Amino acid sequence: MARGTNLEQTREFNRRVVLDVLRRTPYASRTEIAQRTRLSLSAVSSLVDTLVRDGWVAPLGRRATARGQPPIDFALADRGAFGVGVALDRDHAAATLVDLSGRVLGERHTTLDDPSTAEATACVADLAHALLQELPPTDRRRVTGLGVGVPGIVDGLGRVLRMVRLPAWEGHDLVEAFGRATGLATVVTNDAIAAAVGESSYGAARAADTFFYVLFALGLGSSLVMQGHPYRGLWGVTGRLGHIPVDSSGPICAACGGRGCLSLYASVEALADRLRARGAVPDGSLARQLAAIATRFAAGEPVVDAWIDDAARALARGLVVLENLLDPDAFVFDGRMPREVLSALVRRTEERYLAERRTPTGERRLRLLVGERGRNAVAFGAATVPLYTATAADLALLP
Ligand SMILES: [Zn+2]
């Protein structure tokens, strides 16, 4: 639906347009910002002056150029704002404190065991409190909020609609619970959406306008960033990649009822199950199993290699659908899968894809990237969600 703006909203929107450019580039001059935003140079200069005065943007000094008057570059100010992020799953919580320039100022990890919402709330409050202690009081006033990434479907207000791994959470209002426990403005989103916001703002996909994000959490999550903004979809979860059918004679998926879903082949759980069945990893926590998997892979364990082959075949089938539907600038893969295994899986997926078909332009290369955050992908992304909410040029986010 089209939405108009009033005069005061127009100035706020244009302020965000400038911040949005700087969020997605390391630095830019006033002239470059004007060119990219199609605002007049005088409007950009006025907006940049205000942003510098308010501490959101910092001048970097004059660029070294060969001739003429070199332009002054501007960037998001390191300590202009801060975001706290928490990733929650059935077995694990991770938390990150990030500043406006994308620097990680603190990280925490803790184990969970099928937590109730009350236990999760206490955990979120403890982690957020511990990270905030790392900021001097003057900086604490510039914390824009708390982002929490969860492995399920959350409506726009933060109520859990569906959470297969933590079904007792369904129907709970997590925004209210986490916000009250921490005193922070809180956004709760699907974990793959949170992780993609982090990659879009500060990561491997910063230059990509539209990309598809594939998250190896316990299962296989995904999300879509379109023209710099996360696409929420009707249910707040886009591209349930893990439930694309890739094998019509495969087993029934307990989560969705379909047959031969991709997550049954290409996910952290699928890998751990395969190795456990062969006695190649210990019982116990998934974190221990992941560490064992990384060791096995480094030692050239053929069971891991055979799994990568099968998973790559399944993943390539899923990517065919997405490539043909969306034609994104890139696919980004990240999450809790050990990095070496993930890199090998991504390489083999590309080989598998290209062995059977060409890309739309006939190029012999897919645009597959491995993200920069690994097991901190969701916590980092969640911390960038309140920063995104405060700076993104999206009419829906205007106050
Ligand atoms: Zn399924």
Side-chain angles (χ1 to χ4, degrees):
M1 196 188 309
R3 189 188 143 169
T5 59
N6 302 315
L7 199 57
E8 59 273 26
Q9 286 180 320
T10 302
R11 179 146 178 101
E12 166 63 13
F13 186 74
N14 286 342
R15 176 183 167 276
R16 285 166 172 262
V17 165
V18 171
L19 287 168
D20 221 329
V21 168
L22 294 174
R23 187 169 60 84
R24 300 183 55 223
T25 189
Y27 54 81
S29 69
R30 293 186 188 97
T31 308
E32 287 163 346
I33 296 170
Q35 284 164 351
R36 281 186 218 173
T37 60
R38 305 199 184 175
L39 291 167
S40 70
L41 186 57
S42 64
V44 168
S45 296
S46 158
L47 290 161
V48 168
D49 286 350
T50 307
L51 287 164
V52 169
R53 191 194 65 214
D54 295 345
W56 288 83
V57 166
L60 296 181
R62 289 196 184 276
R63 193 179 302 174
T65 53
R67 57 198 159 89
Q69 172 80 311
I72 299 174
D73 284 321
F74 293 88
L76 294 180
D78 294 350
R79 308 187 82 82
F82 303 87
V84 180
V86 178
L88 289 173
D89 211 329
R90 195 175 56 201
D91 66 323
H92 180 250
T96 304
L97 175 67
V98 174
D99 77 10
L100 187 60
S101 69
R103 283 188 311 170
V104 173
L105 304 179
E107 279 174 1
R108 296 283 189 282
H109 289 266
T110 188
T111 54
L112 293 170
D113 183 13
D114 200 6
S116 66
T117 52
E119 287 163 341
T121 303
C123 172
V124 168
D126 284 349
L127 291 169
H129 182 74
L131 287 174
L132 290 176
Q133 291 306 309
E134 303 199 358
L135 287 178
T138 47
D139 282 344
R140 256 175 254 165
R141 284 197 292 276
R142 298 188 75 95
V143 174
T144 53
L146 168 72
V148 182
V150 296
I153 304 179
V154 183
D155 71 12
L157 300 172
R159 202 164 42 93
V160 178
L161 299 176
R162 184 120 165 90
M163 190 92 82
V164 171
R165 289 166 206 292
L166 291 156
W169 289 23
E170 287 174 10
H172 282 266
D173 182 345
L174 298 180
V175 165
E176 203 273 330
F178 300 160
R180 191 145 43 98
T182 60
L184 295 170
T186 300
V187 184
V188 178
T189 61
N190 172 260
D191 51 5
I193 292 180
V197 171
E199 279 297 333
S200 169
S201 300
Y202 305 108
R206 202 172 186 180
D209 252 3
T210 296
F211 67 92
F212 197 87
Y213 188 94
V214 181
L215 177 70
F216 286 85
L218 285 177
L220 187 67
S222 64
S223 63
L224 176 65
V225 170
M226 283 179 85
Q227 293 170 344
H229 302 296
Y231 179 72
R232 269 188 54 80
L234 177 60
W235 300 105
V237 58
T238 44
R240 297 179 76 209
L241 176 65
H243 299 287
I244 287 183
V246 293
D247 180 0
S248 58
S249 58
I252 297 284
C253 168
C256 78
R259 188 180 282 283
C261 289
L262 178 53
S263 65
L264 300 173
Y265 303 87
S267 66
V268 167
E269 276 184 337
L271 173 57
D273 287 350
R274 169 91 71 103
L275 267 67
R276 226 179 14 252
R278 304 225 183 348
V281 292
D283 282 332
S285 76
L286 188 76
R288 278 185 62 204
Q289 290 176 16
L290 287 170
I293 286 166
T295 309
R296 294 279 173 170
F297 179 71
E301 173 70 63
V303 181
V304 182
D305 202 65
W307 176 83
I308 290 175
D309 241 11
D310 291 348
R313 190 175 300 118
L315 207 46
R317 280 191 199 132
L319 293 196
V320 171
V321 176
L322 295 165
E323 175 75 26
N324 284 295
L325 274 180
L326 299 170
D327 186 22
D329 297 337
F331 292 91
V332 180
F333 299 78
D334 210 351
R336 293 175 71 186
M337 183 74 79
R339 191 166 186 84
E340 296 72 18
V341 180
L342 182 60
S343 296
L345 174 60
V346 168
R347 262 198 322 275
R348 214 166 303 171
T349 300
E350 179 163 28
E351 287 164 16
R352 186 55 76 174
Y353 185 105
L354 295 174
E356 292 172 9
R357 61 186 68 73
R358 284 168 199 273
T359 56
T361 57
E363 263 185 64
R364 305 299 288 163
R365 196 177 66 84
L366 274 177
R367 302 162 303 271
L368 308 185
L369 306 172
V370 178
E372 298 180 354
R373 304 290 163 186
R375 67 180 188 138
N376 291 322
V378 176
F380 176 84
T384 69
V385 167
L387 298 172
Y388 169 86
T389 305
T391 59
D394 180 346
L395 285 179
L397 295 173
L398 287 188

